[in-house]
Amino acid sequence: YRNGSAQSGYAGASSLNLITVGAHNIGFSTNNTLRATIDSSGNFQFNSGYGSAAVAYGCRAWVNFNGTTSPGTIRGSGNVSSVTKNGTGDYTVNFTTALVDANYGVAHHIGAYNVGSTDTAVASARPYTNSANSYRVSVQYASGGTNALGDYTMICLAFFR
C-alpha cells in the first residue's frame, strides 16, 4: 500500500492485493476474493475457507512439557519461559511476556501417566491460580475410585485471549 493506492504483486505474489475496505479498514485479497481485514479497532479477521472473514483469537502462549522432571522439561513452547514443579502433579507455567490480564482461556491435553497395565486412569487439570504472568495448575488422575495428583510425561497447555 503506497500513497493511498492499493498495490499488487507485493513480495512476489502476483495475485495478492492490499485494499481499503470501508473508511478505516485494511483488506487483503487474492483473485478478487477478500481473504483478511484489519478493522479500525485493530481486530484481525480472516477467511479460512468458511465463506466469510471472522475475528481471529490468537493463542497467546503454549507449552508441551514433561511433568516428571523438576523443573518441567519443555519440549516446545511459545511465550513460556519456564515450568516450575511445585510438587507431585503441581506446576506453574511462567510466561515470557505477560498476558494482558488473567481473563484468558486454557486448553489442555494430559497424557502418558505410568500406571499399572491393568489400571485405567482419567486425567484432568485444575487451575490453582492464574495471573497475567503465570498459570498454576494441578494434574490429577482418577482410577479405581481413587483421585490423586500425578506426574505425567506429557502435559500440553494453550492460552487464549
Side-chain angles (χ1 to χ4, degrees), residues 116-161:
S117 61
T118 61
D119 216 351
T120 301
V122 177
S124 68
R126 180 181 67 84
Y128 277 112
T129 57
N130 60 316
S131 73
N133 296 306
S134 65
Y135 179 78
R136 187 172 177 185
V137 62
S138 66
V139 178
Q140 300 178 331
Y141 70 93
S143 180
T146 302
N147 294 332
L149 293 174
D151 287 335
Y152 283 72
T153 58
M154 180 170 290
I155 301 172
C156 304
L157 302 165
F159 304 87
F160 297 90
R161 175 78 168 91

Side-chain angles (χ1 to χ4, degrees), residues 51-76:
S52 64
V55 174
Y57 298 98
C59 180
R60 301 297 180 144
W62 66 274
V63 64
N64 173 331
F65 70 96
N66 181 343
T68 64
T69 61
S70 184
T73 302
I74 296 175
R75 291 184 189 90

Side-chain angles (χ1 to χ4, degrees), residues 38-90:
I38 300 173
D39 68 19
S40 60
S41 297
N43 293 318
F44 177 66
Q45 303 174 343
F46 68 96
N47 177 353
S48 283
Y50 294 104
S52 64
V55 174
Y57 298 98
C59 180
R60 301 297 180 144
W62 66 274
V63 64
N64 173 331
F65 70 96
N66 181 343
T68 64
T69 61
S70 184
T73 302
I74 296 175
R75 291 184 189 90
S77 68
N79 196 29
V80 170
S81 60
S82 64
V83 176
T84 304
K85 184 172 181 178
N86 305 308
T88 300
D90 179 3

